[in-house]
């Protein structure tokens, strides 16, 4: 698995994309990396593209990732996950079920809807351009 992301400081928004099969070690490395980023205290919103993620063990992945996130991140934020398949929808549903008081999750099937679920000013064209070039930004694998 590879997790690529870009932070937009003026919006407090991180855009990230999961690519490949879930991997707990990659997720742990990603959390360790972003919590050390200079921007981390200003992070408020996340749009996560799950459309390129392959999921074989959906329930285990969601539960383990949620446990690790709760352990490592106490920052309050809102995340919208964009899903494209029954597997990614199941993953997002299970992840939302595991949310806690500091992290709020939602999911949808389009990037247009994702933008309406967060109070950020951004055009759909800008979001799609960032996602199209996301592998040119920071990636953890």
């Amino acid at each position: 698995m590879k997790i690529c992301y870009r932070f937009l400081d003026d919006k407090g928004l991180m855009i990230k994309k999961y690519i490949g099969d879930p991997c707990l070690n990659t997720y742990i490395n990603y959390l360790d990396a972003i919590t050390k980023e200079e921007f981390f205290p200003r992070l408020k919103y996340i749009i996560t593209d799950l459309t390129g993620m392959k999921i074989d063990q959906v329930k285990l992945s969601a539960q383990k990732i949620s446990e690790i996130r709760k352990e490592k991140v106490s920052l309050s934020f809102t995340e919208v996950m964009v899903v494209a398949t029954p597997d990614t929808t199941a993953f997002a549903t299970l992840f939302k079920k595991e949310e806690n008081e500091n992290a709020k999750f939602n999911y949808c099937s389009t990037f247009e809807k994702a933008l309406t679920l967060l109070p950020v000013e951004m055009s759909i064209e800008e979001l799609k351009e960032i996602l199209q070039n996301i592998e040119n930004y920071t990636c953890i694998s």
Side-chain angles (χ1 to χ4, degrees), residues 13-32:
L13 172 68
M14 182 169 59
I15 299 167
K16 71 178 175 180
K17 182 175 180 106
Y18 288 73
I19 303 165
D21 290 317
C23 173
L24 291 177
N25 286 335
T26 300
Y27 188 73
I28 291 168
N29 292 339
Y30 155 77
L31 284 179
D32 287 342

Side-chain angles (χ1 to χ4, degrees), residues 7 9 12-13 33-45 73-77:
F7 182 70
D9 205 2
L13 172 68
I34 66 160
T35 56
K36 292 175 186 163
E37 289 274 9
E38 179 183 303
F39 69 74
F40 186 70
R42 298 184 304 279
L43 176 65
K44 295 178 186 172
Y45 311 109
V73 179
S74 60
L75 185 76
S76 293
F77 64 92

Side-chain angles (χ1 to χ4, degrees), residues 22 24 53-67 86-98:
L24 291 177
M53 187 176 185
K54 299 173 186 170
I55 300 176
D56 292 327
Q57 299 177 345
V58 174
K59 187 173 181 181
L60 176 64
S61 297
Q63 288 175 335
K64 286 289 185 191
I65 287 173
S66 182
E67 287 170 16
D87 284 346
T88 56
T89 302
F91 176 83
T93 301
L94 290 168
F95 208 71
K96 181 171 174 43
K97 182 181 171 217
E98 299 292 327

